[in-house]
């Protein structure tokens, strides 16, 4: 995963011994050496084989795996990432145009590893692979909750494992400014609560990403989402005598840069000059989203400015602002990228349109297609908002192009997509479980041929990839247990595991609706934080229910009975725990589940439902502590089948 | 934990509400603010309370918790860390001489938190606390296996939680040189495999530690343990025409700096000048251990030099070397510290003797006492070698002074102790489980009064502290599951948990005896790596066996039966797993356990042993895959009781 462009499986197998060695092209300047060294560690750690050689060779050394490529490339838009891989019984050959292609191929090879009682081997294959889209990104919002360098690095490793190539770093927002600025030090000193990346750390992360063949795009969100900037430099704000401060809640806020004064542009020119020097990539994201212009409307001087410059609406004013920014960036050799609000009639088509709105926001189609048709290069995030906590199936089904009819030139404008990990409800403890494994399926959507759409096949491969991400340090599985132990205060967590396997956090922003329930420093060690999208038992149970309703065999009844008994005994174990305030709050949920399960056991025996069951089921459908039981729909169907 | 000097528990309790606020002294320059902010996060995350205020105040704000102190202090030897803490029904007062004392007290307060079904509260107390020893350290060896900054930082947090105040950073050894050197860049470029700390990172860690009231002592180990230095600068070696390279195995190696040439001292003076500028602490560790002088003896020029300078032995030559270093460091305003080999007759008593040898090494008492009597300030590590994988009980019982009779001046020379985490067999994945929770008990030995020695009481408190260390990011519990999942390749791990709860990695360097089994890049994701000292079920079972032998009641028989059945059903589940090469290797161990358990069930019924049981037990006593079953002694006793 992602599934290759072309794959032929042979009956060969290459058995791994402790003599396994890798030869890399002597053109390598570090990327392949790093990837191959890591490959050896992962191979050894996964199989337990004590490899004699812990590092790859540049000279010919009878290595079984030979890696060649033509040129060393810097990660940049359009770089060749194709490779061919051939696994035979006695040797493995990996060839690519660039070193980046070579490291993509190494990830594929490691996924071919199988192990039996007596041996570990790579399955024989001939693979010819290349990505469908050039831009395969993940956005991490480090502004709403700061994410330390270690979090970023492990996620870069995971991105590389699924062949993603753009890390979009959302560095500023109303809740914090997260880069050290030497030009405007009040930004990180007054507007970060002490939580920011030093410039050295930024450079270190960029170097790290580069070695993985990943581009890094910074985002400085302006003119809205600017509370942090204005906390430090209120004189740039659109409202006089206003006390700006860091926002502690989520939402869209009024503080906005003043686009009518010269010092705003001087400030941004200096800041962008400083920031862009840290990021070698050609693209620079200026945000530009969700500016409602309230403070602009309220300011008489701004109204006068608009009149003078014949800017009818606040949108026109924002375009005026964006065009100025485009020129600043252009001088710095950077291309402007912004959220789709920037796509207004005077915006030059050199700007990249980042499409975040689509049918969910009441449009006929995503703004991506409109942008491509208007001649803008464009990247899709609509449909890939992983913070909405929806099923992986939902995201997997979103194809950037879909059925849109485009000319070749228009098609070429569609660069690819980005999953967006907005940070209002995630901390370093939980962020991995919100990104992974779902983003691996999104990565497949961006890399693999359009016709790779089989959901069952995806789920099967996703569960393997999910587990293997642990190898790279991803914490989505292990940290769930940490939260459950926190909930029980170090008592057995089995009963909570049982409950969490059918529970999911509320979706599509109904958790924290209005942005007022949670603040930056609220506890994110609640039961909802331990739960994830695609609750595993629910997937299984819901499928059993469908099968049972279609054909109620004895075996299928047993499968359902198994789950009801599991939930009843889970509740029994839960009740035996020494209580605390956090357990107390989820007790009603478990109690309802226990009651419903008992009633369904009776109904399965008698074949009849009753009013008590229907009423208990209704109670179970109500969220508790921002968590919903995601078998309720299936149970309702099952209940109906008894009526 | 560590237990305070004086504590009076009252019947009061302070109930925590969402209105809980902290006021800190306006003298604070950051340490208390950081600790208090973190305190609020931990309080909120542990209780689930949505605190209205996420940050402490400097102004009076009706805060329930008030923290005062007299002066801001830099972490340094002898700084005042005392505090008093009073928890009443309506307010909490924490007073200290220094800001460092204040943050020590905050850790105590958080340990007083209790939670019931309906409320969370701090138990009423009056505490008057101060440490017994000035130097309470943890050594982390980042040379044998590199440990990224994130590993260091989370361990610094854990150290602060148990009031430790010295981080000894072992930065160079035969296996790697881990600091960026701008003066001698070949050191990190040729002798680190790319795994080193940049100077920026070093400074960042020192700042981080300082904020936690922790001193950082760098160690540059010379003249032995020098393979890495000589890989970069072979001209400083004691053997001509010798190809130096990084060691991949563990052990004591021959490469040694040449103490008879000026350029060695010029090099060290430049290097120490560079390194000491990164570490504000007064102390600088030069290693000085385990130099067997083989290359010195083999070098004719060195022999001639010895003769000329009337240095009879290699030990004398090393003293000559050390005294030169002492002068270099003195010019830099630093005090030399070294392992106890440096304690030779001409060594000035300004040097700090780090005692690592004692009765284990065939001495009558630890070198600590000898050093103290000779007038050297001294720090004890003998008895605190946590990489030996011994029980916490062993370390807890080691008192630095013991029954030694010392004058007040001699007693004053004993600064304290350091737990040593040598890195041959640990990676970022496993290091926490080798340090914690045992080091928390060692920290208590260093902080608490000498008479705090109750083992059962220690264990009870240790299990709580161990769990709470997760809150700070320590991974000792969660990463065990990661290794078990790796072993099963994502199948259920319950059966391995059962086995690991009575299994421990081989102790006292019998794992990797001779240093040849494991290399730097060997797999450290084996069953032995998932196991820890103080296997929990073994502690319980061994105690049950003793009770049963003393008085074989029905209840005690049931307790033993429970465990035998647990192991039998564990083996059954283990057999049901899809096999792989790693599981295959531990299968014999589990099979033996299963057999022994069945035979003991029979013996418990019949009251009789037999030859089959005795023979099976003998087989079970043999280590498998560097793991031993630590209930064997108890089983042998039980078996004898049937004979």
């Amino acid at each position: 995963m992602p599934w290759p462009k072309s794959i032929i499986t042979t009956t060969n197998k290459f058995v791994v011994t402790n003599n396994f060695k890798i030869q890399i092209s002597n053109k390598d300047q570090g990327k392949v050496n790093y990837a191959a060294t890591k490959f050896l560690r992962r191979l050894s750690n996964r199989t337990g084989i004590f490899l004699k050689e812990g590092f790859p060779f540049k000279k010919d050394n009878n290595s079984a795996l030979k890696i060649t490529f033509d040129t060393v490339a810097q990660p940049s838009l359009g770089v060749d990432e194709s490779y061919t891989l051939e696994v035979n019984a006695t040797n493995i050959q990996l060839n690519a145009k660039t070193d980046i292609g070579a490291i993509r191929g190494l990830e594929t090879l490691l996924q071919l590893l199988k192990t039996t009682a007596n041996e570990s081997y790579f399955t024989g294959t001939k693979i010819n692979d290349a990505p469908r889209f050039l831009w395969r990104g993940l956005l991490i919002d480090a502004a709403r909750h700061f994410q330390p360098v270690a979090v970023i690095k492990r996620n870069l490793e995971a991105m590389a494992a699924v062949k993603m190539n753009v890390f979009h770093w959302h560095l500023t927002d109303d809740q914090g400014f997260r880069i050290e600025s030497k030009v405007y030090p009040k930004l990180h000193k007054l507007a970060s609560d002490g939580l920011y990346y030093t410039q050295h750390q930024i450079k270190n992360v960029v170097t790290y990403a580069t070695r993985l063949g990943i581009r890094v795009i910074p985002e400085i969100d302006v003119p809205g989402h600017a509370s942090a900037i204005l906390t430090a430099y209120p004189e740039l704000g659109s409202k006089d005598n206003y006390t700006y401060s860091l926002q502690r809640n989520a939402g869209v806020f009024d503080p906005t840069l003043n686009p009518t004064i010269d010092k705003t542009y001087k400030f941004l020119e200096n800041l962008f000059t400083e920031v862009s020097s840290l990021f070698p990539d050609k693209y620079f994201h200026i945000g530009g989203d969700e500016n409602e212009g309230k403070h602009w409307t309220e300011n008489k001087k701004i109204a006068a400015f608009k009149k003078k410059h014949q800017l009818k609406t606040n949108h026109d004013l924002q375009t005026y602002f964006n065009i100025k920014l485009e020129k600043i960036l252009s001088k710095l050799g950077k291309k402007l990228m912004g959220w789709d609000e920037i796509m207004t009639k005077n915006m030059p088509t050199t700007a990249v349109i980042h499409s975040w709105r689509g049918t969910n926001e009441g449009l006929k189609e995503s703004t991506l297609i409109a942008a491509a048709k208007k001649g803008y290069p464009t990247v899709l995030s609509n449909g890939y908002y992983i913070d909405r906590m929806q099923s992986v199936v939902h995201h997997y089904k979103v194809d950037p192009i879909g059925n849109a009819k485009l000319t070749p030139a228009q098609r070429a404008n569609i660069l690819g997509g980005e999953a967006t990990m907005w940070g209002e409800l995630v901390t370093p403890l939980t962020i991995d479980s919100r990104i992974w494994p779902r983003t691996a399926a999104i990565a497949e959507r961006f890399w693999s041929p359009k016709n790779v759409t089989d959901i069952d096949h995806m789920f099967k491969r996703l569960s393997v990839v999910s587990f293997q991400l642990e190898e790279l340090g991803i914490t989505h599985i292990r940290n769930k247990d940490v939260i459950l132990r926190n909930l029980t205060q170090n008592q057995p967590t089995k009963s909570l595991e049982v409950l969490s396997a059918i529970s999911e956090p509320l979706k599509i922003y109904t958790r924290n609706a209005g942005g007022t329930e949670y603040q930056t420093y609220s506890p994110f060690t609640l039961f909802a934080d331990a739960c994830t999208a695609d609750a595993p038992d629910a997937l299984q149970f819901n499928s059993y229910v469908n099968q049972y309703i279609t054909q109620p065999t004895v075996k299928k009844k047993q499968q359902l009975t198994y789950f009801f008994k599991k939930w009843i005994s889970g509740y029994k174990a839960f009740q035996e725990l020494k209580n605390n305030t956090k357990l107390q709050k989820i007790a009603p949920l478990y109690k309802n589940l226990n009651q419903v399960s008992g009633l369904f056991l009776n109904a399965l025996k008698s074949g009849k439902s009753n009013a008590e069951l229907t009423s208990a089921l209704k109670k179970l459908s109500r969220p508790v502590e921002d968590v919903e039981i995601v078998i309720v729909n299936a149970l309702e169907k099952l209940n109906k089948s008894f009526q």
Side-chain angles (χ1 to χ4, degrees), chain A residues 406-569:
Chain A
L406 300 173
T407 66
Q410 289 168 347
R411 166 62 185 84
N413 284 334
I414 295 181
L415 305 178
E418 270 186 23
T420 51
M421 181 68 256
W422 297 109
E424 286 88 346
L425 299 181
V426 296
T427 66
L429 184 72
T430 58
I431 187 169
D432 292 5
S433 74
R434 274 54 187 144
I435 301 176
W436 308 105
R438 291 178 300 156
T439 296
I442 296 174
E444 174 158 289
R445 177 58 51 240
F446 297 157
W447 177 282
S448 301
K450 188 173 182 176
N451 64 3
V452 176
T453 53
D454 184 314
I455 299 288
D456 290 340
H457 195 224
M458 177 275 286
F459 264 119
K460 201 175 149 191
R461 293 177 292 119
L462 188 66
S463 76
V464 177
V465 166
S466 177
F467 149 66
Q468 291 178 346
L469 287 171
E470 278 213 331
E471 219 172 59
L472 294 163
I474 292 298
T475 62
H476 58 318
I477 306 172
R478 67 191 95 173
N479 283 2
K480 172 175 180 161
D481 295 332
V482 172
I483 301 174
L484 296 184
R485 276 191 289 275
N486 176 304
L487 286 164
T488 64
Q489 288 290 301
N490 206 25
Q491 299 173 83
T493 55
K494 178 75 190 168
S495 64
L496 291 183
E497 272 169 40
V498 168
L499 183 63
S500 70
I502 52 167
S503 302
E504 296 183 8
L506 293 181
K507 294 182 218 323
I508 316 179
Y509 308 140
T510 48
R511 184 180 184 190
N512 203 27
T516 54
E517 183 187 353
Y518 292 87
Q519 297 186 296
T520 311
Y521 39 72
S522 294
F524 292 99
T525 52
L526 306 180
F527 186 61
D529 300 298
C531 298
T532 61
D534 299 308
D537 277 4
L539 290 174
Q540 183 68 73
F541 179 80
N542 294 344
S543 149
Y544 284 162
V545 167
N546 283 334
Q547 291 168 32
Y548 179 82
I549 290 173
T550 316
Q551 197 178 17
T553 64
V554 172
K555 191 186 163 202
K556 280 165 192 161
K557 190 189 278 193
Q558 280 168 350
Q559 287 168 335
L560 298 184
T561 302
Y562 163 82
F563 274 110
F564 291 123
K565 287 189 173 165
K566 183 175 181 179
W567 299 324
I568 290 169
S569 66

Side-chain angles (χ1 to χ4, degrees), chain A residues 4 49 94 108 111 151 210 248 262 337 400 447 486 494 524 598 613:
Chain A
I49 294 173
L94 171 59
T108 304
Q111 291 192 4
V151 174
T210 300
R248 303 302 183 187
D262 284 346
M337 177 169 186
W447 177 282
N486 176 304
K494 178 75 190 168
F524 292 99
L613 174 49

Side-chain angles (χ1 to χ4, degrees), chain A residues 202-448:
Chain A
I202 299 264
K203 284 182 199 161
N204 183 273
V205 166
V206 170
T207 303
Y208 198 94
T210 300
R211 200 167 54 174
L212 296 167
I214 295 174
R215 303 161 52 204
V216 185
I217 315 272
E219 178 181 351
I220 306 290
D221 202 350
V222 286
H225 289 267
S227 302
I229 294 173
L230 296 175
T231 298
Y233 296 95
E235 62 271 28
L236 305 177
S238 297
K239 205 162 168 92
D240 295 335
N241 305 316
Y242 187 83
T243 304
Y244 295 100
S245 60
L246 293 184
Q247 304 291 349
R248 303 302 183 187
N249 291 320
V252 177
F253 302 96
D254 300 328
T256 312
L257 297 185
N258 186 340
T260 69
I261 53 177
D262 284 346
K263 61 183 169 188
T264 296
Y265 299 103
K266 191 69 203 153
F267 170 86
L268 290 174
E269 180 162 6
N270 290 337
L271 182 65
F272 285 7
T273 303
E274 182 180 30
V275 172
S276 68
S277 74
L278 304 173
F279 296 91
D281 202 81
K282 281 273 171 211
Y283 293 79
F284 192 104
H285 206 298
I286 56 104
D289 57 318
E290 297 183 322
N291 170 26
E292 301 186 345
K294 183 160 171 282
H295 283 189
W296 289 355
T297 305
E298 290 167 3
N299 183 321
K300 282 180 190 162
K301 282 184 240 162
I302 292 178
F305 182 92
K306 279 164 67 178
K307 204 164 179 184
K308 184 177 161 196
H309 289 79
Q310 297 178 304
L311 302 164
K312 285 183 191 158
T313 64
N314 283 337
H315 243 135
D316 294 340
L317 179 56
Q318 190 166 345
T319 304
Y320 170 90
F321 173 82
N322 288 338
I323 289 170
K324 287 225 170 202
L325 263 47
E326 204 267 344
K327 285 182 183 142
I328 290 172
L329 289 172
S330 183
K331 272 206 287 182
L332 294 168
K334 301 285 176 182
K335 292 185 180 170
L336 179 145
M337 177 169 186
W339 299 101
D340 57 26
E341 284 95 333
I342 70 163
M343 182 167 58
T344 48
K345 71 168 191 271
N346 294 319
M347 196 69 201
T349 56
T350 49
V352 180
I353 304 303
H354 195 163
S355 165
W356 73 276
R357 292 177 303 173
T359 50
N360 285 327
E361 289 71 26
L363 304 178
K364 279 185 200 157
E365 59 182 10
S366 76
T367 52
L368 182 92
I369 301 300
K373 286 180 177 167
K374 286 180 183 164
Y376 291 96
T378 181
V379 170
L380 184 64
S381 280
N382 183 268
Y384 305 122
Y385 268 46
I386 49 180
D387 65 321
R388 291 161 67 98
M389 298 306 292
Q390 290 172 282
S391 168
V392 63
V393 175
H394 169 79
H395 301 300
Y396 193 65
K397 283 183 172 169
V398 176
D399 189 279
I401 298 174
N403 299 319
K405 294 213 172 86
L406 300 173
T407 66
Q410 289 168 347
R411 166 62 185 84
N413 284 334
I414 295 181
L415 305 178
E418 270 186 23
T420 51
M421 181 68 256
W422 297 109
E424 286 88 346
L425 299 181
V426 296
T427 66
L429 184 72
T430 58
I431 187 169
D432 292 5
S433 74
R434 274 54 187 144
I435 301 176
W436 308 105
R438 291 178 300 156
T439 296
I442 296 174
E444 174 158 289
R445 177 58 51 240
F446 297 157
W447 177 282
S448 301

